[in-house]
Amino acid sequence: MRLILLGALAIATLACCQETCHSSDEDPYLLFGTKTAYTFANQGIPFNRAHDVPGCQPIAIWLLIRHGSHNPEADEIADLQKLSDLKNNIIANYRKGNFRDTNIRMCPSDVNLLERWEWNPRQNITFAGDLTSDGYISTQQLAQAWKQKFPGLLTDNLHDYVFRYVNDQRSSTTFRAFTEGLFRAREDTYDITKENDEKLLRPEKFCSSWINNVEENNDTLTQLRTFESKQEYKEMISNISLRLGFNYDIQKEIMKQMYQMCRYNKAWDVSQISPWCAAFSKDDLKRLEYAEDLETYYKYGYGTPMNQQLGCTGIKDMMDFFKIHVERVAPQQPRARVQLAEAPQLLLALAATGARRDAAPLTGDNYHSAVAQARKWTASSMAPFNANFAAVLYKCTPDSNLQINDQYQVLFMENERPLNLEDCRVGLCNYTFVKNRFGLIADNCNLDFCNSATKASSIIGLSLILVFITKLL
């Protein structure tokens, strides 16, 4: 039957038209927001040795790391399983060959891949949300990459570390994968210092003001809804429906489930073609990527001022850690503070630094503007699977580097690359500058504003500080 289907499709192809062929595309679009594989997020960025600072030695590292690719969440499984029925309907459409527009269709090889797709029974409630095998391996590789960069900091001495992660299955698995990568699966790693600090790693979960005013506030997603109400977004759904052989527009939620499966599949096995991605053109994927950027921009980024206030907890933790190493002459332990977190905490921390701020806000109306097309705030590069944000403290020898006029330096890195900050040199900042800018945030950082009784005064105080720093940036 499959050969008959492919033969019929090949004849139809010769008889008509232009068609998309995802399986033979040598340059597919692989940026899928927070479900982007780490290797695709870093693709095309040249390797550099910014971490080698002449005349300076790294003495401490603060590292915030997101987990690798994971299985669908428990509340996603039922809807994603329904794609099996949708797949059968799509294949039936292609067997019938009834298309309103024969110029919009998948090529035979894409249809064949989709026909072979089946729901993996392992994607069940038991393993919901836990790391995939690829996510486990990529987390091990990330640990090895950081250890290769900083062998003097990320040593084999377990006392050089303190790890923080929350008490759930995915975080525990991520800790195991990362430490196996660091220590080559040593059996004594249970002696590593581990701390469970939910308020630090998930501050938004403990902030009633944020929950009420951001997470559960319908206005937070106003710009996303504006974008989805645009005619071009509706036409995108119509074209996707035609490409699948339907004579009516599929529901928006069904389209989003296909997109979710597309990007999950590609993250689970980066070397394989994701059959569900064939439902989308490159322009479709870019629009869907922008839609998620609108969501994260307002939910965790600059679109809502409260987000930067929550992100201050990470900045405070970093500054408190560095202060110990700067103020004490003798080398201190631990030398590495590693925090295993989720995408929200990573985005909140980056927003608190003032990094990746665009000249104009992202909105549902400015998708085609120059700012939006070249936007700095993009979840695909900020928070892919295995995303990481690091600050490395260096101690320098006087007069050993003419470009350095401060005994201590801090190198900020995002996904192993220098993070551009104003008044710094390719991510490398004088500690005095860091202390003045981020120390101010750290000294005024608390979650008192989360309580309605103290909300007003706390928000006003920290907001004024953030406004001042924003002007500097």
Side-chain angles (χ1 to χ4, degrees):
M1 179 62 74
R2 184 175 296 154
L3 292 175
I4 295 174
L5 173 60
L6 289 176
L9 289 171
I11 294 172
T13 299
L14 293 173
C16 65
C17 57
Q18 297 177 346
E19 59 182 15
T20 60
C21 201
H22 180 74
S23 56
S24 62
D25 191 344
E26 296 182 357
D27 185 29
Y29 197 73
L30 299 171
L31 300 180
F32 301 122
T34 56
K35 297 294 187 293
T36 302
Y38 188 67
T39 185
F40 301 142
N42 269 2
Q43 208 168 49
I45 301 177
F47 179 79
N48 61 68
R49 300 194 63 81
H51 55 282
D52 291 336
V53 183
C56 305
Q57 290 296 321
I59 61 172
I61 182 171
W62 182 89
L63 190 55
L64 181 64
I65 294 176
R66 187 190 179 203
H67 53 77
S69 65
H70 59 80
N71 294 322
E73 306 287 2
D75 59 358
E76 294 181 304
I77 292 175
D79 286 335
L80 292 179
Q81 278 182 310
K82 295 176 184 177
L83 290 177
S84 294
D85 293 332
L86 180 64
K87 179 203 76 169
N88 293 335
N89 291 335
I90 295 169
I91 298 304
N93 290 340
Y94 271 79
R95 285 179 179 147
K96 295 174 184 176
N98 295 325
F99 290 87
R100 282 189 295 160
D101 187 344
T102 55
N103 288 300
I104 302 178
R105 61 189 303 163
M106 295 186 294
C107 68
S109 56
D110 285 348
V111 178
N112 187 36
L113 282 174
L114 184 59
E115 187 182 21
R116 297 206 306 261
W117 178 86
E118 292 182 354
W119 177 259
N120 185 347
R122 185 177 170 80
Q123 308 293 349
N124 56 46
I125 196 68
T126 302
F127 300 100
D130 202 1
L131 294 191
T132 63
S133 57
D134 186 83
Y136 197 94
I137 293 170
S138 64
T139 302
Q140 291 177 314
Q141 293 171 338
L142 181 65
Q144 292 163 10
W146 275 105
K147 189 171 186 177
Q148 185 176 14
K149 284 181 176 62
F150 296 102
L153 283 182
L154 303 179
T155 69
D156 289 331
N157 185 347
L158 303 184
H159 298 293
D160 277 339
Y161 300 85
V162 58
F163 277 84
R164 288 173 170 164
Y165 60 96
V166 298
N167 187 27
D168 63 21
Q169 186 175 22
R170 182 158 67 207
S171 296
S172 299
T173 305
T174 301
F175 169 75
R176 187 168 67 251
F178 196 85
T179 51
E180 283 182 6
L182 281 177
F183 306 116
R184 302 294 182 180
R186 278 168 50 185
E187 295 182 356
D188 62 346
T189 54
Y190 59 83
D191 286 333
I192 299 175
T193 301
K194 299 179 285 293
E195 298 177 355
N196 186 339
D197 193 336
E198 295 260 352
K199 287 188 176 181
L200 175 67
L201 296 175
R202 291 177 176 172
E204 73 281 5
K205 301 296 184 183
F206 297 86
C207 187
S208 58
S209 291
W210 184 87
I211 293 171
N212 295 331
N213 296 310
V214 182
E215 185 176 42
E216 296 179 355
N217 185 351
N218 289 331
D219 292 341
T220 300
L221 300 183
T222 294
Q223 296 303 324
L224 173 60
R225 287 194 293 270
T226 297
F227 183 60
E228 292 179 345
S229 70
K230 295 292 181 182
Q231 184 61 30
E232 66 175 290
Y233 193 92
K234 295 176 181 178
E235 290 175 355
M236 176 186 73
I237 296 178
S238 295
N239 289 334
I240 292 169
S241 303
L242 289 172
R243 192 174 295 121
L244 301 179
F246 295 108
N247 293 323
Y248 55 87
D249 287 353
I250 60 175
Q251 295 177 1
K252 180 175 65 176
E253 292 308 314
I254 292 177
M255 181 271 294
K256 289 184 177 182
Q257 290 160 16
M258 289 192 297
Y259 178 58
Q260 189 77 321
M261 200 72 250
C262 155
R263 54 190 196 156
Y264 265 141
N265 281 153
K266 194 60 185 174
W268 293 340
D269 192 338
V270 298
S271 64
Q272 295 297 314
I273 298 166
S274 173
W276 286 105
C277 290
F280 307 93
S281 69
K282 290 182 181 179
D283 286 339
D284 296 339
L285 294 174
K286 291 177 181 179
R287 287 189 182 92
L288 292 170
E289 180 189 20
Y290 185 72
E292 186 175 17
D293 287 344
L294 285 174
E295 179 178 359
T296 58
Y297 182 79
Y298 289 93
K299 200 169 182 180
Y300 307 114
Y302 297 112
T304 305
M306 191 181 294
N307 295 330
Q308 287 180 271
Q309 296 154 23
L310 271 180
C312 78
T313 58
I315 301 302
K316 175 175 171 54
D317 185 70
M318 174 190 72
M319 294 304 298
D320 289 347
F321 181 55
F322 286 165
K323 185 178 181 180
I324 295 171
H325 289 271
V326 170
E327 294 185 349
R328 299 179 185 176
V329 177
Q332 299 295 309
Q333 287 181 319
R335 305 176 71 191
R337 182 171 288 182
V338 184
Q339 302 180 100
L340 308 178
E342 305 282 341
Q345 176 58 17
L346 200 88
L347 294 171
L348 289 168
L350 286 170
T353 68
R356 287 182 170 268
R357 182 189 291 275
D358 290 292
L362 303 186
T363 72
D365 292 313
N366 70 354
Y367 173 63
H368 293 287
S369 69
V371 170
Q373 289 300 306
R375 63 192 179 278
K376 298 175 184 177
W377 184 275
T378 169
S380 296
S381 57
M382 297 174 70
F385 287 126
N386 287 125
N388 47 91
F389 170 40
V392 186
L393 179 66
Y394 291 78
K395 187 174 184 179
C396 306
T397 303
D399 303 322
S400 61
N401 188 328
L402 296 179
Q403 293 183 327
I404 291 177
N405 54 14
D406 197 326
Q407 182 182 13
Y408 292 97
Q409 301 286 312
V410 179
L411 176 64
F412 291 93
M413 302 182 77
E414 178 189 41
N415 298 332
E416 302 179 71
R417 303 293 190 269
L419 176 65
N420 290 324
L421 293 171
E422 292 292 333
D423 298 325
C424 299
R425 303 174 306 281
V426 197
L428 187 67
C429 311
N430 291 331
Y431 182 73
T432 301
F433 163 83
V434 173
K435 184 178 179 180
N436 289 340
R437 177 172 294 183
F438 299 127
L440 189 61
I441 296 176
D443 291 343
N444 290 274
C445 179
N446 57 61
L447 298 184
D448 289 349
F449 72 89
C450 290
N451 303 317
S452 57
T454 57
K455 173 182 173 183
S457 59
S458 298
I459 287 183
I460 291 172
L462 191 50
S463 293
L464 290 174
I465 292 170
L466 291 169
V467 167
F468 170 74
I469 290 175
T470 297
K471 290 180 178 179
L472 292 178
L473 292 172

